[in-house]
Amino acid sequence: MIDKNSLGNTIDVLNDGFFFNKKLSDKQKHEAALWIASRQGLPGSYAGMFAPTEDDFKNGVQVFTGEKITTGAGTAHILGEEACRILVLLNVDDTKVKTALKKTQNGMVNRLNDSQIQGYSTDLFCCGPCTIALWRNLIVGGLNKQKERLKAGLKEMKILRDGKGRWRRFRFYYALLALHEIDLEEARDELIYARPAMERALNRNSGQEKYQLRKLKLLELILKKMH
């Protein structure tokens, strides 16, 4: 469950469990939550969030749907947001975990506030993948102003449609991963827009490699829900 050499690998295993509804024991949840919490604010962390390991920075990471993140800042920010999301989902009743999660969420809110004070829009935060990671944290109740931030971001996403069922700046499958969990009309509109691209992708996806299986499952879940 825990890869002490990689926060990315640890989060990936946990995300896989939640996505495919695999049951985790209370012991597994507690051990994983404590280890993730222990990385709060360590060197290399983004805005005081949960720090990637040396291996994560050296090798880069892949998000749940397989897209690669190779920059140091992207690795730190995305893993920080994903780790917050995982801790919320694990829902472990432990003071150390709760304290670390609160510090992390506060650190990222402060970063967003600072960006706005400096005159930068946070409707889309940095790049497409970083925005999606932030949305995935918001979706489970992380940070603050969840509905407001998601609505503003989705408005910008609509502007970035490429006319082919995808979006500029965003990674297709990682974006779909967030959209299918956002209970807003704006998110449903983006999925309707992307439906032809999803149907084409569904016909192309095959193989047993883990990212292919996840993409296939994601496409099936979304398209089934849309019928």
Side-chain angles (χ1 to χ4, degrees):
M1 184 63 64
I2 300 171
D3 181 350
K4 292 187 176 180
N5 292 316
S6 174
L7 177 61
N9 288 346
T10 301
I11 289 173
D12 189 70
V13 171
L14 291 165
N15 271 330
D16 192 80
F18 284 114
F19 186 74
F20 289 104
N21 296 313
K22 299 175 183 176
K23 186 169 178 58
L24 302 175
S25 69
D26 290 341
K27 182 180 180 182
Q28 286 176 314
K29 291 180 181 180
H30 192 245
E31 289 177 348
L34 279 176
W35 184 77
I36 293 171
S38 73
R39 302 204 60 77
Q40 189 272 319
L42 294 182
S45 64
Y46 186 92
M49 301 176 88
F50 302 103
T53 65
E54 289 184 13
D55 283 0
D56 291 324
F57 281 122
K58 179 181 178 181
N59 302 321
V61 296
Q62 288 177 268
V63 298
F64 185 73
T65 45
E67 295 92 332
K68 294 182 179 180
I69 308 299
T70 56
T71 66
T75 294
H77 177 234
I78 289 170
L79 287 186
E81 299 281 10
E82 289 281 352
C84 285
R85 176 181 177 275
I86 284 294
L87 287 188
V88 172
L89 293 177
L90 288 173
N91 193 29
V92 171
D93 187 11
D94 184 284
T95 301
K96 291 181 180 178
V97 174
K98 291 182 176 180
T99 299
L101 182 57
K102 184 176 181 179
K103 287 181 179 178
T104 299
Q105 302 281 24
N106 288 342
M108 190 59 206
V109 168
N110 290 337
R111 178 62 60 90
L112 291 168
N113 291 340
D114 289 344
S115 294
Q116 291 176 323
I117 289 171
Q118 294 173 35
Y120 297 105
S121 171
T122 58
D123 294 346
L124 299 183
F125 190 76
C126 187
C127 61
C130 282
T131 298
I132 294 300
L134 185 144
W135 289 1
R136 277 168 56 79
N137 191 4
L138 291 169
I139 290 165
V140 297
L143 306 176
N144 66 352
K145 303 178 183 178
Q146 292 86 1
K147 188 174 181 179
E148 176 185 331
R149 294 189 189 279
L150 288 169
K151 278 182 169 286
L154 288 164
K155 183 178 179 180
E156 292 298 314
M157 187 183 206
K158 183 176 181 178
I159 295 172
L160 292 171
R161 291 178 179 180
D162 68 359
K164 301 175 183 178
R166 297 178 180 241
W167 306 268
R168 298 184 298 278
R169 294 181 62 179
F170 289 92
R171 310 287 181 86
F172 184 61
Y173 290 99
Y174 196 39
L176 293 178
L177 186 66
L179 287 172
H180 98 284
E181 293 184 342
I182 299 175
D183 187 21
L184 291 173
E185 183 177 348
E186 292 86 346
R188 289 188 284 275
D189 286 345
E190 294 310 305
L191 290 175
I192 291 170
Y193 157 73
R195 183 170 184 167
M198 286 191 283
E199 290 174 339
R200 291 193 298 270
L202 184 65
N203 292 329
R204 291 195 304 266
N205 270 276
S206 61
Q208 297 299 306
E209 186 265 340
K210 72 174 181 179
Y211 296 116
Q212 288 298 109
L213 290 173
R214 291 171 181 177
K215 290 175 183 178
L216 181 61
K217 178 68 173 178
L218 177 61
L219 292 170
E220 290 174 343
L221 284 172
I222 296 173
L223 291 171
K224 182 178 180 180
K225 185 168 63 175
M226 295 177 72
H227 280 304

